[in-house]
Amino acid sequence: MKQLTLELTDSDVFSLLQALGKRPYEEVADLIEKIRAQCEVSEEPQEEKTDFSS
């Protein structure tokens, strides 16, 4: 399956998780875990890149 990368705000992720929470747990548990894991990884401040960055 093709991997996609989405850029979402904290608010977007919260809204998505709220919507998923209305579904039966068995249907969404794996997806919620993937979202949680990726959010933990991306919590590190991202370094701003410039033309002079190496």
Side-chain angles (χ1 to χ4, degrees), residues 1-3 5 9 17 21 31 33-34 44 47 49 51 54:
M1 188 181 305
K2 182 179 175 183
Q3 293 279 331
T5 301
T9 65
L17 291 172
L31 180 56
E33 177 55 29
K34 284 182 182 181
E44 298 174 9
E47 186 177 309
K49 300 212 182 250
D51 292 339
S54 51

Side-chain angles (χ1 to χ4, degrees), residues 11-23 28 32 35:
S11 180
D12 293 338
V13 172
F14 181 72
S15 295
L16 179 60
L17 291 172
Q18 277 190 313
L20 289 172
K22 295 178 182 177
R23 304 293 305 167
V28 297
I32 290 173
I35 293 169

Side-chain angles (χ1 to χ4, degrees), residues 33-52:
E33 177 55 29
K34 284 182 182 181
I35 293 169
R36 186 196 61 76
Q38 290 181 31
C39 286
E40 284 181 356
V41 169
S42 68
E43 282 182 1
E44 298 174 9
Q46 293 184 355
E47 186 177 309
E48 199 170 305
K49 300 212 182 250
T50 66
D51 292 339
F52 304 107

